[in-house]
Structures are given as C-alpha cells and as structure tokens.
Amino acid sequence: MTSLRVTYAGLISFCSGILSIGTGLAFMIIVTRMLTPNEYGTLGVITSLLVYAMIFDTVIGYWALRDVARGIKTGKTAIASSGIFSILGVIVYYVSAFFVGAQPQLEFSVLLIAIVLVPLRSFDKILTAINAGWRPQINGYANLAAEITKVPTGLILLYFLEMKIDGVILTLAISLIVGIIIQLFFARQKIIGELDKETLRKWIKFIWVPITPKIFSMLVRSDIIVFSVMVGSVVGIAYYSASLVIASLIAGVGSISGSVVAKLLESGKKGYMEENFRLLIYFLIPFTACALSFSRAGLFVLNPIYEVAYMVVVFLAFQTVLFTLSNTFSSFLYGTEDVDKNIKSSYKDYFKSKLFFIPVIRIIQYVVYLITLSIMLLWASTNTSEIELVV
C-alpha cells in the first residue's frame, strides 16, 4: 500500500498543468505561425491517427494502474509486454495512414514520418499508468518538463531550421523522450519482480474490458477524420485544432481529480470524492470564463487567420466542461469497482461491472453523434463555408 495524498497529488498535478499551459501555448504559437493552415490541419489528422494506434497500449496501462494502486507488483510485466503491443500499434497506424493519406491534400510521406511517435507514446503511456497508481504528481512533473522542452526545440527546428511539419514531429518525439526519462527514474521502484505470465494471461483474457473505453476515445477523435474525408479539406481541421488549443485550457482543470481513482483503488474509502469535486468546480468556473472571454484574442495570438473561428471556441469550451465532468464522474465509478480484485470473476461479472457498462453508454452516445455529423456535413457541405462546417 502507498500513502497517496489525494488533495496534495491533485494540486501538484494541477499546478504543473497550469505551468504547462504557458509553455504549451508558447509552442503552439510557434507551430501555428510557422505552419500553413493545410499543414496544421495535417497535424490534426496525425493526432487522430495516433489515437487509433494507441488502442492496444490501453490494455497494459489500464490494468497496471489498478494493480499498482493495490500494491500488486506488476510493473515489470507491464513494461516487458508493452513492446509487443506497440508493434501492433505501429501496424494499426500504418494501415490507417494508408487509407486516410489517399486524400489529395494529405501527404502520405508526412503521415508516415509520424509513425516514430507510436512506440514513444506507447512507452510513455505505460509509465504514466504505473506512476499514476502510486505517485500521480510525478506525471505532472514529467509533463511540465516535456512541455518546457518543446519551446526551445520547436523554435530551433521550425523557426531557424525551417523544418515545418517534420520539425513539429521531431519536437514531439524529443519532448516524449524527456518525459519518459523522468517517469522511468521514479517508476523504477515499481518495475521490480519477475515477469508474471499468469497476470499477463489475465490481461489478455479480459482484453475487451480496457479496449471498450478506448473505442470511445477513438470515436471522440474520429470526427476529425469524418470531416476531412467528407469535406475533402484539412483547412477546417486547422480552425478546429486552433480553437481546441484555447478550449483545452479548461481540460487541464481535470488533472485535480487524477489521483482520486488511485486512492479509491488503494483504500476503498469514498469520502475523497465530494471534497475533490468541490475543488474541481472552484477552478472549473473561472477557467471556463477565461477561455470564453479571451477566445477571440487567444486565436489572434496563435495566428490572426484563425481569429474568425472564435465561435468554435465558445462551443468547444462548453463541450470541454461537460467532458471534464463526465470523465471525473466516470473515474470515480471506475475506482469504486472491485470486480477485478477477485481472480475468479467470470466474463459475466465483467459484463455487469462499471468497467464495461459505462464506456458502452458513452460509445452509443458518440456513434449517434458521428452519424448526425455525417448527415449534417453531407447536407451542408456544398453551400457552406469552412467555418460554418466546423461550427
């Protein structure tokens, strides 16, 4: 067992996130100023494809977090098996990029370069899950270091060397490596013991449990792919991505609740949820007001050509608030679920658990959204401007 302090870990993660906002905005200003809307839209497509590639890594990270929080020594098993799943992720990314890259405004060679991010993100996700199970604030430190690294690296590669989107990909790779080194240093205490084949067999047996919520994550990012395919342009994605930078300031508040799930898994006590939710609301309201108030000015700072998309920021701000609340409540419910504590739990037990039921509800929600979006784009794409389509 660990002596995980929920409020302390939450505030440390939140403060690290706030500092990362400044460095993250500085990096995004460099990116949006140096890339054309078409290149920036391509970057948005790459980000969505990476979500598809990470579907298998969820299997390891999902169980590793829950086991580490309960004091079970599965860190070495998680690290050892992550390589196999990252190879599967590379294959998924390549196949997805092959089909999406057929569009005339996208270069398959550029999409292919970004494949280097798949194994790096895979390793980063595993280490994040391990640390989240016992010292969630470590991930905040690693994230801050990675974000700080992006600014000088991006400035050198994009501004001085004029590497464009290739420079962005290389910058992201270097920042991931910095974060991995920090996380690995602290996680070494949990990467102990022998490779537990029985644990790995259990993870694979119930692989559908962590993949189900990952399908939801894939659907969340699929609207970008749907938009680019149906509209035949990535300029709208550039407007959307720029707006998302401003709205994502609100999402950082959700890090306050990041340590609650580990505490619930560790102790089973539920009194932390009310206090943590109250703290979340205290920060969520002013950050939302800030994002709404500076939506136009924020886009202008990123690049004046994106200023016209300020209404997109308004819609995304409210969407981000709802997502933050939804994700927080879901994490509370995941933390109170103990079906996986019993090694004799059957498929039926998992089907009836919150680990499966909650993501299924969210998947249904987003399938309806994507169908509606497709119908709207099909109906309006001929006589509507890019900005109106994004809205």
Side-chain angles (χ1 to χ4, degrees), residues 10-31:
L11 287 176
I12 291 295
S13 299
F14 174 68
C15 291
S16 299
I18 295 300
L19 294 173
S20 299
I21 287 175
T23 55
L25 280 176
F27 174 67
M28 291 311 302
I29 290 172
I30 297 172
V31 172

Side-chain angles (χ1 to χ4, degrees), residues 204-225:
I204 296 176
K205 177 182 178 181
F206 294 104
I207 191 174
W208 49 273
V209 177
I211 283 184
T212 304
K214 188 61 179 182
I215 292 174
F216 167 73
S217 300
M218 291 171 58
L219 291 174
V220 168
R221 300 297 299 182
S222 292
D223 52 2
I224 289 179
I225 304 299

Side-chain angles (χ1 to χ4, degrees), residues 159-180:
Y159 184 76
F160 293 106
L161 299 182
E162 299 181 352
M163 291 183 65
K164 297 294 185 178
I165 195 168
D166 294 347
V168 177
I169 295 171
L170 183 56
T171 299
L172 294 175
I174 293 173
S175 67
L176 278 170
I177 292 172
V178 170
I180 286 171

Side-chain angles (χ1 to χ4, degrees), residues 40-81:
Y40 190 49
T42 301
L43 186 62
V45 173
I46 290 173
T47 303
S48 297
L49 292 177
L50 287 173
V51 174
Y52 297 157
M54 303 305 295
I55 183 170
F56 294 107
D57 297 278
T58 304
V59 176
I60 305 300
Y62 186 92
W63 297 121
L65 188 157
R66 300 179 71 86
D67 285 349
V68 170
R70 289 169 174 157
I72 304 173
K73 299 177 181 179
T74 56
K76 193 169 186 177
T77 303
I79 293 295
S81 57

